[in-house]
Amino acid sequence: MNAAELHRDAVVVDTHNDTILAIASGKRRFEERSTEGHIDLPRLREGGVDVQVFAMYIQHEYKPDHALARALHLIDAYYAMVERTGGAMCHCNSVAEVEAANARGQIAAILSIEGGEPVEQDLGLCRMLYRLGVRALGLVWNERNFIADGVGELRTGSGLTNFGVSLIQEMNRIGMLVDVSHLNEKGFWDVAEVSTKPFVASHSNARAVCDHPRNLWNDQIRALARCGGCMGMNFAPAFVDRDWAQGKDTLDRVIDHVDHICGLVGPDHVGLGTDFDGIPRAPTGLEDVSKLPALTEGLLRRNYSEENVRKFLGGNYLRVFRAVWGG
């Protein structure tokens, strides 16, 4: 099977984009091809994406007092966007729904929130967001909140708060995926200790390859693997290569991160978390979502087996989803 055939046949899962912010602002229409940004429906189809997680990022100006209202506004924009695709895309709450949507030729859309402020220290709100279709929650962005400290909070060295521990336990219970991208190291290790379900770093790379605070150290990657989790390769230039300003953030450099992670923990814990529409530009060779088949070609050039390429493209994340959501 050649690269194009393999890419079409595989289930391709991307666990992070920020596209809904552009859609909610009215800057572009998702169902129409655009020359702006990285993702729209036509380009998503060209890229062969079968499952797309849409993150509801809560911008700074809404925190903390208006975070819940902003999350609800973005969730409304998300459902309106899905409806405007005329059935080309389907919101999904489970792996069974994902598989059924894909079998019908639909792209499966999944809802996540980036930054836990909308929960407002109330587990009941977490449960209600789950009932609205939220299936993953990034605990923090870069700053501190009432759950934990983000990677940008350098002074305190704090991990999960008492509420943060309770939130992880409740997310485990109801089947909401814990996302540690943007979480500081102490918080990461607290999650690894508290969580009884696999957790993910939806859009983080390997720090040994590119020393950026948003990437994971080797010991963190090993802990993520021990819990059965997965990390999504982020296409943000500064997370791919420290010399990104000199154009060293390339498709091949993204695969260097895959190589490193597989060397540490094997092929079962790597996926895609592109961060499309949340980054200023994408790596050379991966300029927007339509270019994702080039990643499959690059992985095959590195002599990865078809089986492992399928895992990287989506199989690993589907395993994690099933373990957390059930079914």
Side-chain angles (χ1 to χ4, degrees):
M1 188 177 291
N2 64 33
E5 292 169 338
L6 177 59
H7 193 85
R8 285 194 299 270
D9 192 60
V11 178
V12 179
V13 179
D14 176 14
T15 53
H16 191 89
N17 71 24
D18 287 291
T19 304
I20 200 65
L21 290 181
I23 304 304
S25 70
K27 291 180 179 178
R28 62 183 201 261
R29 294 177 64 86
F30 179 77
E31 66 274 22
E32 298 174 356
R33 179 180 294 278
S34 176
T35 58
E36 298 182 2
H38 303 116
I39 290 183
D40 49 50
L41 182 59
R43 287 183 286 176
L44 204 63
R45 284 201 176 282
E46 289 175 14
V49 175
D50 301 286
V51 185
Q52 179 64 63
V53 179
F54 290 87
M56 311 293 110
Y57 169 60
I58 310 302
Q59 298 112 306
H60 181 76
E61 60 265 31
Y62 297 102
K63 299 174 186 179
D65 294 340
H66 304 291
L68 177 59
R70 178 57 173 170
L72 295 175
H73 176 258
L74 292 176
I75 291 170
D76 176 65
Y78 161 84
Y79 279 111
M81 175 193 73
V82 171
E83 186 175 343
R84 285 196 304 271
T85 67
M89 180 176 284
C90 177
H91 170 74
C92 296
N93 289 315
S94 68
V95 175
E97 291 181 7
V98 166
E99 291 172 341
N102 288 170
R104 294 190 298 265
Q106 295 174 298
I107 297 170
I110 295 170
L111 185 57
S112 73
I113 292 179
E114 184 176 18
E117 287 82 2
V119 176
E120 293 187 355
Q121 303 187 70
D122 187 336
L123 297 181
L125 291 181
C126 178
R127 291 189 290 270
M128 290 309 300
L129 289 167
Y130 179 88
R131 291 184 179 187
L132 289 175
V134 176
R135 286 298 177 269
L137 177 68
L139 303 177
V140 297
W141 194 63
N142 289 338
E143 71 273 4
R144 161 181 272 196
N145 65 16
F146 45 78
I147 299 169
D149 283 3
V151 296
E153 177 53 71
L154 301 177
R155 187 173 185 274
T156 66
S158 297
L160 291 179
T161 63
N162 289 335
F163 175 74
V165 171
S166 297
L167 179 64
I168 299 301
Q169 293 169 338
E170 184 66 2
M171 291 173 68
N172 285 170
R173 187 188 72 83
I174 65 177
M176 185 182 287
L177 185 62
V178 176
D179 183 358
V180 299
S181 283
H182 289 282
L183 187 62
N184 73 351
E185 284 187 62
K186 181 64 168 60
F188 175 96
W189 291 112
D190 285 349
V191 170
E193 179 181 349
V194 171
S195 183
T196 59
K197 297 283 184 70
F199 60 91
V200 302
S202 68
H203 55 305
S204 298
N205 296 341
R207 195 157 180 179
V209 178
C210 178
D211 186 5
H212 191 285
R214 278 278 287 102
N215 292 338
L216 301 185
W217 293 113
N218 289 350
D219 284 348
Q220 292 176 293
I221 295 171
R222 292 188 183 101
L224 189 75
R226 284 195 298 271
C227 86
C230 192
M231 55 192 294
M233 298 298 92
N234 191 322
F235 293 174
F239 303 172
V240 173
D241 192 279
R242 292 188 67 181
D243 293 327
W244 64 271
Q246 282 72 52
K248 294 188 178 180
D249 56 310
T250 63
L251 182 156
D252 281 335
R253 193 61 171 152
V254 171
I255 299 176
D256 287 344
H257 287 266
V258 177
D259 287 348
H260 179 79
I261 296 161
C262 288
L264 281 176
V265 296
D268 296 332
H269 308 284
V270 183
L272 301 179
T274 64
D275 213 355
F276 277 146
D277 284 330
I279 54 180
R281 64 171 176 79
T284 302
L286 294 168
E287 289 81 4
D288 65 24
V289 70
S290 70
K291 304 298 192 299
L292 281 182
L295 181 62
T296 298
E297 184 177 351
L299 290 165
L300 291 175
R301 282 199 306 269
R302 295 280 181 103
N303 295 316
Y304 284 106
S305 68
E306 290 186 7
E307 177 186 5
N308 284 338
V309 172
R310 289 177 187 273
K311 289 180 180 181
F312 303 155
L313 292 177
N316 287 336
Y317 264 122
L318 289 179
R319 182 199 72 242
V320 173
F321 293 165
R322 188 173 282 107
V324 175
W325 302 339

